[in-house]
């Protein structure tokens, strides 16, 4: 298969994955997003010393903090944007999904922890926007630099 068709097929696959996952999110509940919520909850618990209880279909409730880590806290849309960003850098699709997942857990934990530390409901959305945008830009730039460095320093055997 020539390179032009391979690029088009890859682009179509990336768009299809994005659209399929975006649709899946609209019908998902917290139980379906456990792959994002559970690790985020674990790290939030470690950072705050708070213990949570999982409420089926709703999320992780931290009584001492009076917060619930639910579907809206999953970082799912950030995961999708990160995936698109890494795919744009021509990472293989599974690698782009995996890197985006790890970045999402880290960014999401940071966002929730910052919101807890600020203890302000009014700033909650602003903190989310600033945190996610900062992580997305930083990760994209770092990955681009790494890929450029790797390409320029590749040894041909």
């Amino acid at each position: 298969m020539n390179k032009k068709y391979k690029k088009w097929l890859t682009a179509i696959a990336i768009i299809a994955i994005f659209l399929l996952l975006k649709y899946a999110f609209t019908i998902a509940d917290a139980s379906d997003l456990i792959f994002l919520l559970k690790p985020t909850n674990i790290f939030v618990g470690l950072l705050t010393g708070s213990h949570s209880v999982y409420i089926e279909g709703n999320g992780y409730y931290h009584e001492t903090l009076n917060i619930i880590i639910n579907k809206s806290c999953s970082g799912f849309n950030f995961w999708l944007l990160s995936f698109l960003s890494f795919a744009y850098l021509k990472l293989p699709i599974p690698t782009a999904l995996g890197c985006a997942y790890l970045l999402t857990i880290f960014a999401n934990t940071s966002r929730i922890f910052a919101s807890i530390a600020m203890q302000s409901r009014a700033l909650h959305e602003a903190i989310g926007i600033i945190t996610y945008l900062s992580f997305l830009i930083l990760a994209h730039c770092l990955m681009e630099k790494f890929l450029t460095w790797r390409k320029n320093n590749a040894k041909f055997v």
Side-chain angles (χ1 to χ4, degrees):
M1 182 180 315
N2 82 31
K3 286 185 179 186
K4 183 178 179 181
Y5 291 115
K6 188 174 180 180
K7 284 182 182 181
W8 275 103
L9 286 176
T10 301
I12 291 168
I14 289 166
I15 292 167
I17 290 168
F18 173 82
L19 292 174
L20 181 66
L21 290 173
K22 191 69 174 161
Y23 172 73
F25 182 68
T26 65
I27 59 175
D29 66 8
S31 300
D32 300 318
L33 300 170
I34 203 82
F35 72 102
L36 289 169
L37 293 174
K38 187 173 184 173
T40 299
N41 179 64
I42 290 169
F43 289 121
V44 167
L46 289 172
L47 288 170
T48 62
S50 175
H51 297 283
S52 66
V53 175
Y54 182 74
I55 301 168
E56 188 65 36
N58 213 359
Y60 291 93
Y61 177 64
H62 288 259
E63 185 177 3
T64 56
L65 301 171
N66 194 28
I67 64 165
I68 189 160
I69 300 175
N70 60 16
K71 177 181 177 176
S72 67
C73 300
S74 69
F76 192 87
N77 288 316
F78 179 80
W79 179 51
L80 290 180
L81 288 174
S82 299
F83 163 65
L84 290 178
S85 177
F86 290 142
Y88 175 78
L89 294 173
K90 298 184 178 140
L91 286 177
I93 290 173
T95 304
L97 284 167
C99 288
Y101 175 76
L102 294 174
L103 178 63
T104 299
I105 299 303
F106 186 63
N108 209 23
T109 300
S110 300
R111 178 188 63 81
I112 293 169
F113 183 70
S115 292
I116 292 167
M118 296 283 195
Q119 294 185 356
S120 170
R121 300 262 186 237
L123 292 177
H124 181 75
E125 280 193 43
I127 290 169
I129 292 167
I130 292 166
T131 304
Y132 281 148
L133 186 59
S134 299
F135 272 95
L136 189 59
I137 292 169
L138 182 62
H140 182 88
C141 291
L142 289 174
M143 185 62 77
E144 186 176 40
K145 295 267 187 219
F146 171 73
L147 293 173
T148 302
W149 174 84
R150 194 171 116 198
K151 181 180 175 184
N152 292 337
N153 292 301
K155 301 209 189 297
F156 296 102
V157 180

